[in-house]
Amino acid sequence: MSGSDHRVAGNPCLPEHVAIIMDGNGRWANLRGLPLLAGHRAGGEAVQRTVRAAAKRGVKWLTLYAFSSENWRRAPGEVADLTGLLRYYLRHKVAELSREGVQLRIIGDLSRFPVDIQEEARRAEQVTAANGRLVLVLALSYGGRADIVQAAVRMAQAVSRGEIAASAIDEKVFAGALQTAGMPDPDLIVRTSGECRLSNFLLWQSAYAELVFLETPWPDFDETHFDTVLAIYSRRERRFGARPT
C-alpha cells in the first residue's frame, strides 16, 4: 500500500495510522533515581493513555514498537522485566481493550518469547478480532530489515514453486508478503525522548510517513502530547513525490 494517502475519510488532517517508537523509559527512571523497572511500568501506563487518546480522536490504526529484535541484546534482568510486563498486560488488560472496541494485532517474531506469552498473544488477537474502533498493533521482537528479508524469501519460494512469475512481483505484491500485509502504511511516525532515527522500525512501510521527534520521554507522553503530534501532522503537506500545485 506504499505511496497512497490513507488519511481518514472526511478529515484529511487526521492520520489513519499513527506509529510510535516508545523511547526513554530508562532515562525517565534514571532522572528520578528509580529502578529501570519503574520506568517500564510508567511506560506501560503511557501506552494505556495513548490507546485511549487515539480511539477518542478517531485514529483507526496505532502501531507501538514495544520490543525490537535488538532488545534481546539487553541485560537478562531487563529482558525478564520487559517480558514480565508484557505477560501481565496480555493477561489482565485485554478485556479492557475489548470493551473499548480495540482490536489487537501482533507483528514480529513471537517464537522468541516464552510459550505462555505466545499463547496469551494469540488468545488476545482472537478475543478482540471482531472489534473495529481502533486496531492496536504491537511490534514484538520486530525488526524492519528482518521483515523485508522474510518477505523476499517468501517471494523467492513462491517463484520456485511456480506460484508467481518473478516478473509479476511489484511493490504491491511484495508488500503483501510483509508482516503488515493488509494494513495501511503509517501516515505518521512519532519517536519520543529526543532520538531522531527509525531504529529498524517499519522500514519499508515508512517510505512516505511524516516523522515527528519529541524530547518528551515515553513515560510522560499523554493526551496533550498526542494532540501536539496530530497538530504537527495537520500542518504538513503530503505530496508522495509529486510537485506542489
Side-chain angles (χ1 to χ4, degrees), residues 193-209:
S193 202
E195 301 292 351
C196 299
R197 56 180 178 270
L198 290 176
S199 294
N200 202 19
F201 181 52
L202 298 178
L203 298 180
W204 172 282
Q205 300 85 344
S206 65
Y208 285 99

Side-chain angles (χ1 to χ4, degrees), residues 6 8 26 30 35 55 91 108 116 127 136 145 151 153 159 198 205 209 218 221 238:
H6 296 289
V8 174
N30 287 337
R91 287 180 178 174
D116 68 311
V127 167
L136 172 62
R145 287 181 173 179
V153 170
V159 170
L198 290 176
Q205 300 85 344
W218 176 247
F221 193 89
R238 305 185 73 203

